[in-house]
Amino acid sequence: MLLAAPWCENVTMLAALDQTWMDASSSWWAKANRAKEHIDSLHRQVDEYRASAPYSLTPEPTEKPGRLAHRLRFLKPVRVAISTTIGDVLSNLRAALESLAFEVARRSQAGSLTARQERMSTFPICETPQAFDGFFNKDRKDRKGLYDKRAQAAFRSVQPFTNLEEAQRVGIALDKSFSEEFRWDSLQRLDTLWNIDKHRRLTLMTWWPDLISWESDGPTNRRAFPGDGTLANESVLLYIEGADEGQGDDLRHQFNLVLTDDPAYSGKDDGTTDAVVRLLEHWHQHIVGLVFRRIFTIMSQAVATAQSPRPSRPAPSTGA
């Protein structure tokens, strides 16, 4: 059975691939597809949890006349089932990468691995080109020779540093460092959260304000001022001064459930505020739509001619 690839840009690209990479019964596709099933389940669970009114934003008078403090209260803890489903998504996405790395190693060794080589097969996620080279040649001597030239080119094409390395190679100056690229990279964030869930505890989450607004019939007389900046239970999210005729004091608001364990989360505006479902959907699509595509493409080439495809030139950016 072959799986239709959502990322194939045309029939020619699909035909150029070794079709065994597209087998839906393979461990890498089975794990990736199972992750998507858990994401769909998570979507339903989060919607149900949100509908249960797990938090409130209540206007309260202050000592200053005409100023209201809008206090945030968390009324219901995040359901354990939500946390465990997130863990299931993380586990299956990470397992899809490990299964793929095992198969890449197997094909590098003409289809047969020793017990030691099986243990050494793993998917590299490296911060710098130097760390990547060390992964194959220095860090573990018993991994040396496990992955052939083609396999190393395939892995290199999806590393966190790939775009920045290519920009430097062609002389494009970007105000970024490898460490900054690494912080925002989907694979390293997935890997970090997977390790937390696997070895320590359930991932931590919080409600993050996505949209705050109020109604007015014409120009508004109200002004908003920052609260205490903590986003904790009982914290003041913001202050409102003034009033609009015929309108109440309640605010329209929408909060997203976000992962505070995400390495890109800072609790400030410069951190990630992606809702957890949207974030995991993005990571799933990144793996099946970019990581799989690049690795399948390179691994379908002859070993002697295989090389990493040059990534599209990154535009200067400071966001996620």
Side-chain angles (χ1 to χ4, degrees):
M1 176 180 180
L2 297 181
L3 184 69
W7 42 260
C8 279
E9 297 173 358
N10 52 55
V11 176
T12 302
M13 177 181 288
L14 181 59
L17 295 178
D18 177 346
Q19 293 299 293
T20 58
W21 290 111
M22 305 305 298
D23 184 356
S25 66
S26 66
S27 56
W28 52 92
W29 275 118
K31 291 294 185 179
N33 292 337
R34 184 59 174 161
K36 184 59 171 66
E37 293 176 9
H38 286 303
I39 291 171
D40 293 341
S41 173
L42 179 65
H43 200 305
R44 294 189 294 270
Q45 292 179 54
V46 171
D47 283 349
E48 292 172 1
Y49 176 48
R50 186 192 299 275
S52 73
Y55 64 87
S56 65
L57 188 61
T58 309
E60 299 177 353
T62 65
E63 295 179 356
K64 184 176 181 179
R67 169 177 278 210
L68 293 175
H70 288 261
R71 193 171 299 280
L72 178 64
R73 291 185 174 89
F74 299 131
L75 308 176
K76 299 178 182 179
V78 177
R79 296 171 178 171
V80 172
I82 291 178
S83 298
T84 55
T85 302
I86 290 172
D88 290 335
V89 175
L90 299 172
S91 177
N92 278 277
L93 287 178
R94 193 62 181 85
L97 296 176
E98 289 299 288
S99 296
L100 183 58
F102 176 83
E103 181 63 13
V104 170
R106 197 182 68 83
R107 298 193 188 199
S108 293
Q109 300 298 320
S112 179
L113 297 176
T114 67
R116 178 180 291 275
Q117 286 175 326
E118 287 187 2
R119 291 194 298 271
M120 289 301 103
S121 68
T122 190
F123 195 99
I125 303 173
C126 302
E127 182 173 344
T128 66
Q130 294 75 23
F132 180 80
D133 293 338
F135 174 88
F136 296 100
N137 300 311
K138 297 178 181 179
D139 296 345
R140 297 295 295 266
K141 292 182 180 180
D142 44 5
R143 190 182 292 127
K144 190 171 182 178
L146 175 59
Y147 291 104
D148 61 24
K149 174 184 176 182
R150 178 181 56 178
Q152 293 184 39
F155 286 137
R156 193 180 200 97
S157 72
V158 297
Q159 292 302 302
F161 59 78
T162 299
N163 285 337
L164 185 55
E165 181 184 45
E166 175 65 10
Q168 293 176 350
R169 190 190 69 80
V170 298
I172 298 177
L174 296 180
D175 187 21
K176 281 187 175 182
S177 65
F178 287 131
S179 62
E180 289 171 324
E181 290 283 271
F182 193 67
R183 177 193 176 196
W184 292 104
D185 181 75
S186 297
L187 295 185
Q188 82 85 14
R189 290 159 65 187
L190 165 64
D191 189 59
T192 298
L193 290 172
W194 171 67
N195 270 290
I196 290 173
D197 181 81
K198 180 177 67 169
H199 293 298
R200 304 176 215 171
R201 52 173 168 74
L202 299 176
T203 53
L204 299 180
M205 287 168 278
T206 191
W207 288 103
W208 180 271
D210 181 53
L211 178 65
I212 306 292
S213 64
W214 60 79
E215 294 183 351
S216 64
D217 186 11
T220 183
N221 297 313
R222 287 184 270 190
R223 292 185 299 166
F225 299 90
D228 56 31
T230 62
L231 280 176
N233 188 42
E234 298 288 341
S235 69
V236 175
L237 183 64
L238 75 165
Y239 296 97
I240 299 291
E241 289 187 6
D244 293 317
E245 185 176 354
Q247 304 296 333
D249 296 324
D250 289 336
L251 300 178
R252 289 181 173 181
H253 54 80
Q254 179 175 316
F255 283 62
N256 288 332
L257 194 61
V258 301
L259 298 173
T260 58
D261 282 325
D262 181 358
Y265 175 85
S266 67
K268 301 178 182 178
D269 289 341
D270 64 339
T272 179
T273 56
D274 278 346
V276 59
V277 176
R278 186 164 62 240
L279 181 66
L280 295 178
E281 285 177 336
H282 169 73
W283 289 355
H284 177 270
Q285 185 57 36
H286 177 75
I287 289 173
V288 302
L290 186 146
V291 175
F292 280 13
R293 171 172 58 85
R294 289 186 177 177
I295 290 179
F296 295 167
T297 300
I298 295 173
M299 290 300 296
S300 296
Q301 300 172 18
V303 176
T305 60
Q307 59 180 345
S308 300
R310 293 180 181 177
S312 56
R313 293 183 179 181
S317 171
T318 57

